[in-house]
Amino acid sequence: MRPWPGSAYPLGATYDGVGTNFALYSEVAELVELCLFDEDGTETRYRLEEVDGFVHHGYLPAIGPGQRYGYRVHGPYEPEQGLRCNPNKLLIDPYAKAFSHGVDWDDSLFGYSFDAPDERNDLDSAGHVPYSLVTNPFFDWANDRLPRTPYNESVIYEAHVKGLTMTHPDVPEELRGTYAALGHPSIIDHLKGLGVTAIELLPVHQFVTDHYLVEKNLKNYWGYNTIGFFAPHDAYTSRPGAQVEEFKGMVRALHEAGIEVILDVVYNHTAEGNHLGPTLSMKGIDNQSYYRLVEDDPQFYMDYTGTGNSLNVGNPHALQLIMDSLRYWVTEMHVDGFRFDLAATLAREFYDVDKLATFFELVQQDPVVSQVKLIAEPWDVGPGGYQVGGFPPQWTEWNGEYRDIVRDFWRGEPATLGEFASRITGSSDLYQDNGRRPYASINFITAHDGFTLADLVSYNEKHNEANGEDGRDGADDNRSWNCGVEGPTEDPEIMQLRDCQRRNLMATLLLSQGVPMILHGDELGRTQGGNNNAYCQDNEVAWVDWKSAEDDDAMTHFVGALAKFRAQHPVFRRRRFFEGKPIRKGDELRDIAWFTPAGEEMQEQNWDDGFGKSIVVFLNGAAIADRDPRGERVVDDSFLMAFNAHHEDIEMTLPSQDYGSAWGLVIDSCAGTVDTTPMDDVVPAGGTFTLPARSVVVLQRVDA
């Protein structure tokens, strides 16, 4: 059968209820063959004779959901010129919305001959690469709508689809590790109990386990090795071929609970690697258009990611792929936002990082993508790649500066007071000058990359032996403290100190200005045994152990209570930066004031005190400067937050009568208590209060 002409847009395989339109962009192709595969692997090829604007297209009636397909691209194979067409390689559709399975590593996947590296490898790769699948676009979304939680009211929970759900006893065994498991009531109830408003999923775009990991009998667990930017990863579905349906069902269930879905996306590189990597998709379709090649020697790839290649964001068709993918996940899959892995790479139009690069201009004007949450990991491994605070106003950023100083403060490093104060109040030095607000800072202390919270207070050194890289992998600068013993211990004093430190870190996170992000399992005491780079540990090392988590119910309750307290008091989630002055004429009190534990206002020399490990901050609830939807000025209670990273108790003197006549305790991290109303023991202005060693204490102003 000869394909009908069809349409050049949309790209990919589009089922309309009667048949399917196929469209593939390639500027260098001389001929494109569409290959359909039966259940037994029998291949039928169709020439796509229609070409418009370098898009090869055709329509096949009676071809519908579940059909397996791929492409063979005929054209020049001249690697030294950056051209790598080879019709012996079955190629994945860059716009495929589902895949049949993962990669089966074989010599046929590589574009060159192993016996003669300068010659083309003519082994047929069919059967070793995943089949692209035609999908059903129709789904009953019922009354689904995006929650659109404001940033300043958000609590983000970074999670792994499989890692979070694989051992949960209340999730049916056949669903564990899948999208359906994430939408299960037991998982949703846990998230709601923590006050989570958004779940940020580690990569769910179809990804590949690297060849070298397969050889070591390991897997790519995190998923930062994308090969399909439109397809939910096939291994996270309970039924073969049902990944799109199950993903949509998960989103619908989370939205019903008021929880947003944010995807960690990897548009900076693909799984095809460098010049020695496999030919799976874009490398064989149009290598020059999709990848950054070395200008003077285009057989090699520019690598700003440490993975072998970088997408060519300076090419309009590569940019179109990214933007089409983003719009698809918003419009068709109903996701609420994206966290961009190594986002600085997307700003490299030429060599330097440029925040006004074309990609960001496209996002700014796009009527769909510009309306969802956009979070940057603001660095890559290239020169000048660390760009915290350097992204456009529409963007928020993972704040690595926040992570580092909060870790340093609580492990007792000297000379941290000034920066610690800046970070917990929204990092105005990073975000205020370009018109952004405190919620531009995504605050985090732990994330998938690095120690868990429990390991942060249990290990001084990384322990990555299971990764098989002789300890060379993973960060060496962890800014952790083991509290006296490396790893597990039965010493009750050390165990108590570690629990207190975990509460200190979590209280700091949830009471800081900005958007808090919690790593999955941190509320449950999850440990990776000191492994700070569990990217290849698809096993009990990285999964949440729900059985042992039952022993840490107090910490889970503490985190949930902190999130609830934060939600009740807008002074802890302001939409504007503090100004250090009265918000209106006639007001006597400033919106914020800093004090030494002696009750005296901080002076310049106090900030520079290398031994200072304690500080008190006054938050004026009457000077929030926000307005509610009706335009009324938002007013809250006023609070004193006291942080003591010293190893001894401190007698804290409360500020003068001007700031409040009396104060009552509401949060004590050392005791693990959070109260919605001040306790009965009220301390008058100028009175003293014992600030326990290594603790966070919050006092609320009360009428005497």
Side-chain angles (χ1 to χ4, degrees), residues 586-604:
D587 288 341
E588 297 181 358
L589 291 181
R590 289 166 290 167
D591 54 3
I592 189 171
W594 299 91
F595 298 90
T596 68
E600 301 171 349
E601 284 209 47
M602 291 283 288
Q603 304 299 317
E604 192 66 34

Side-chain angles (χ1 to χ4, degrees), residues 229 267-270 290-292 309-313 321-322:
F229 295 113
Y267 293 112
N268 51 71
H269 75 279
T270 77
Y290 284 114
Y291 293 113
R292 294 282 305 268
N309 65 54
S310 301
L311 246 78
N312 185 9
V313 293
L321 173 74
I322 296 172

